[in-house]
Amino acid sequence: MDFDVLIIGCGVIGAACAEALAAYDLRLGILEADNDVANGTTKANSAIIHAGYDPAPGTIMARLNVAGNARAEALCRRLDVPFRRIGSLVLALEEADLPTLRTLYERGLANGVPELKLLSREETLALEPNASPEVLGSLYAPSAGIVNPWELCYALAETAVRNGASLMLETPVLGASPIEGGWAVKTPERTITSRFVLNCAGTRADAVARLFGDDSFTILPSKGEYYLLDKSEGTRVGHVIFQCPSKAGKGVLVAPTVHGNLLVGPSADESEPTDTANTARGMALVRSRAVRSVPSIAFRENIRNFAGVRANSDCPDFILGPSKKAPGLINLAGMRSPGLSAAPAVGEEILSILAGQGLALHKKTDVVTTRRRVRFHELSEAEKNEMVERDPRWGRIICRCETVTEGEIVEALHTPIPPRSVNGVKRRVGAGMGRCQGGFCGPRVQEIIARELGLDQTQVLMDWPGTWVLCGRTKGGEQA
């Protein structure tokens, strides 16, 4: 066998499994169809660590949401990932919402959510003065938090690679066949064998399961569109602001981000797995619903719109466990919200499942458990001077909006999972995340990528394969 465990998909769920498993004496492989990790739902979501009052009591979703929330802060501290426990408020904006708040409160108590409180109108407005004056009350969950979801995924995946996991990017799964004691998984380059396979393929999880002969569930992709507002709006609210949920989901939220911006969204529309286009209808819907919660949002400060696709399924719970139709296949599917919140607890869950399936788990003695990333703008003046004296590239500001230096970009390009695109750099160090959205720093980032990775600039991508920034070089007015 090539591997003891093969993970298909490296979003935050796959990466969480990888980080947990790589701490053990196992041959671990990770297949990712895209050219980077965190390139699907993980990079385009609400970035919320939910408290856990929404899932039905007794479900896997409820258990892992609350467990993941409890572990998120320590995990993010250990891996140096931005996280803030700011709490959330679910607003009742009409009389019919008040019984829903009571239901959520009681559900939260049953799920073990700490410190839940039902607040009056006056208490709600004292916490959030910019909330709608029509608010009648709210459910307050102090344990809710915000996180950088793609950096959490990078940190988990990088730690797994440092501990010996083999990551194969741009390696989609084309087929699978049972063999004695495991599976033969076909990819474009070769066939890979593994004793166990973890299906963490997100919006493609049902298609992957069918390659193994498991047709027990169907993914129902749902697109959510968002506004990202400038940091001038980042203090409009201090908590995650929800409206009462409906069958369509948790509704449009208004929330600060760990980067200091304001996030507004999402919508909820049936879609294709790869449909991340913004629409006039979707953005208008988000805006009209958001101002019901926070009327004073200054949408003129919008700096970017984006959309993400959630892996909803035809099952009301997470699909997490051994396949009944394909022995050796473990499905982690339908991990829509609160999937990100559950991620910090998924690793321990998968260890328990695999041990129950007969996989021997022996802890390594020299495991990498921490990660650190230098963020130049957060350093003291003395620390900045020390970095610049050591390497002048740390003193060259490439992204003015976010104060990102050449040293940070170069360091990112030499990590265990180096970015392969301008947006890959953006998500790792923040160059291009500011008000101008890369209008100033983009060409310089492209030059640095080409130089550090030994590429011609025409080979540097904006994001996924085929998104070239430059199509060719010209000489004397003619294409060379």
Side-chain angles (χ1 to χ4, degrees):
M1 292 285 181
D2 296 313
F3 297 107
D4 297 302
V5 181
L6 183 66
I7 299 171
I8 299 174
C10 201
V12 71
I13 297 299
C17 293
E19 194 264 349
L21 287 164
Y24 292 83
D25 189 16
L26 300 169
R27 294 165 298 169
L28 177 63
I30 312 165
L31 303 182
E32 170 53 53
D34 217 323
N35 66 342
D36 203 355
V37 305
N39 236 14
T41 304
T42 297
K43 74 175 182 184
N45 58 72
S46 301
I48 307 300
I49 300 297
H50 293 279
Y53 51 75
D54 194 57
T59 60
I60 301 172
M61 189 182 291
R63 177 168 56 81
L64 292 186
N65 184 163
V66 175
N69 177 292
R71 295 170 187 166
E73 190 166 2
L75 174 66
C76 289
R77 188 183 307 115
R78 174 165 66 84
L79 297 180
D80 196 11
V81 174
F83 172 86
R84 291 169 55 201
R85 197 175 291 283
I86 63 172
S88 67
L89 291 165
V90 182
L91 305 185
L93 297 172
E94 51 190 64
E95 289 289 340
D97 291 338
L98 292 173
T100 303
L101 291 191
R102 170 61 63 175
T103 298
L104 293 176
Y105 173 74
E106 292 172 353
R107 191 182 297 171
L109 294 181
N111 290 344
V113 179
E115 301 181 71
L116 278 178
K117 295 179 183 178
L118 287 168
L119 303 183
S120 67
R121 176 183 185 276
E122 292 72 25
E123 290 171 321
T124 301
L125 291 173
L127 279 180
E128 283 295 348
N130 286 324
S132 171
E134 297 179 6
V135 67
L136 301 176
S138 65
L139 174 64
Y140 177 42
S143 63
I146 53 176
V147 71
N148 182 335
W150 54 86
E151 187 165 355
L152 177 58
C153 183
Y154 295 144
L156 291 164
E158 282 181 10
T159 304
V161 171
R162 290 183 189 277
N163 283 321
S166 176
L167 173 64
M168 292 157 273
L169 296 172
E170 295 186 77
T171 309
V173 174
L174 304 179
S177 302
I179 58 175
E180 185 176 354
W183 288 91
V185 179
K186 184 180 179 182
T187 73
E189 297 295 324
R190 65 188 180 103
T191 295
I192 300 168
T193 58
S194 181
R195 183 179 174 191
F196 293 99
V197 176
L198 306 187
N199 176 13
C200 305
T203 57
R204 300 288 193 183
D206 55 349
V208 167
R210 283 172 172 76
L211 294 177
F212 288 80
D214 184 346
D215 60 357
S216 60
F217 63 91
T218 300
I219 298 297
L220 306 171
S222 174
K223 180 169 73 172
E225 302 183 48
Y226 294 85
Y227 285 91
L228 181 68
L229 277 63
D230 189 53
K231 292 180 180 179
S232 59
E233 282 294 293
T235 56
R236 179 67 62 183
V237 296
H239 303 79
V240 181
I241 306 298
F242 293 106
Q243 296 171 3
C244 278
S246 67
K247 291 181 180 179
K250 297 180 176 68
V252 170
L253 62 83
V254 180
T257 73
V258 291
H259 302 102
N261 301 85
L262 188 73
L263 186 67
V264 181
S267 56
D269 295 290
E270 293 182 9
S271 69
E272 296 298 317
T274 57
D275 178 13
T276 56
N278 286 104
T279 65
R281 187 197 67 81
M283 299 314 300
L285 181 147
V286 168
R287 182 169 180 162
S288 66
R289 291 185 179 176
V291 296
R292 290 195 67 215
S293 300
V294 186
S296 59
I297 299 170
F299 282 95
R300 64 182 177 275
E301 297 300 316
N302 183 55
I303 61 174
R304 190 173 186 85
N305 301 123
F306 67 93
V309 181
R310 291 160 286 195
N312 292 344
S313 78
D314 57 357
C315 177
D317 200 356
F318 289 161
I319 301 163
L320 204 168
S323 168
K324 295 179 180 179
K325 296 191 174 185
L329 175 68
I330 314 295
N331 288 311
L332 295 93
M335 303 286 287
R336 71 283 204 179
S337 180
L340 174 63
S341 309
V346 163
E348 188 170 317
E349 184 82 1
I350 207 65
L351 288 173
S352 175
I353 289 171
L354 287 170
Q357 294 287 298
L359 182 66
L361 296 172
H362 303 290
K363 199 77 176 277
K364 293 176 180 176
T365 56
D366 55 347
V367 180
V368 176
T369 59
T370 60
R371 166 188 175 270
R372 290 290 175 266
R373 181 168 83 77
V374 177
R375 299 171 178 85
F376 190 78
H377 70 279
E378 294 180 356
L379 300 179
S380 67
E381 289 303 311
E383 291 169 328
K384 288 178 181 177
N385 290 333
E386 182 182 345
M387 294 295 294
V388 174
E389 287 178 10
R390 189 184 312 158
D391 184 343
R393 292 176 296 187
W394 285 90
R396 298 176 191 146
I397 304 297
I398 302 300
C399 175
R400 294 177 178 178
C401 296
E402 299 295 301
T403 319
V404 178
T405 71
E406 183 176 359
E408 290 172 82
I409 296 170
V410 170
E411 184 175 77
L413 288 164
H414 295 282
T415 55
I417 310 175
R420 301 184 178 192
S421 66
V422 173
N423 282 352
V425 168
K426 174 182 178 179
R427 290 188 290 270
R428 281 167 175 79
V429 299
M433 288 282 287
R435 190 175 183 92
C436 85
Q437 287 291 292
F440 174 79
C441 67
R444 186 69 181 110
V445 170
Q446 183 178 343
E447 291 176 5
I448 296 170
I449 293 171
R451 183 192 72 206
E452 294 298 317
L453 300 186
L455 303 173
D456 187 272
Q457 283 200 48
T458 58
Q459 296 174 285
V460 177
L461 300 169
M462 178 56 71
D463 209 329
W464 53 85
T467 58
W468 295 285
V469 181
L470 301 175
C471 296
R473 295 181 179 275
T474 62
K475 185 176 182 180
E478 297 179 358
Q479 187 165 351

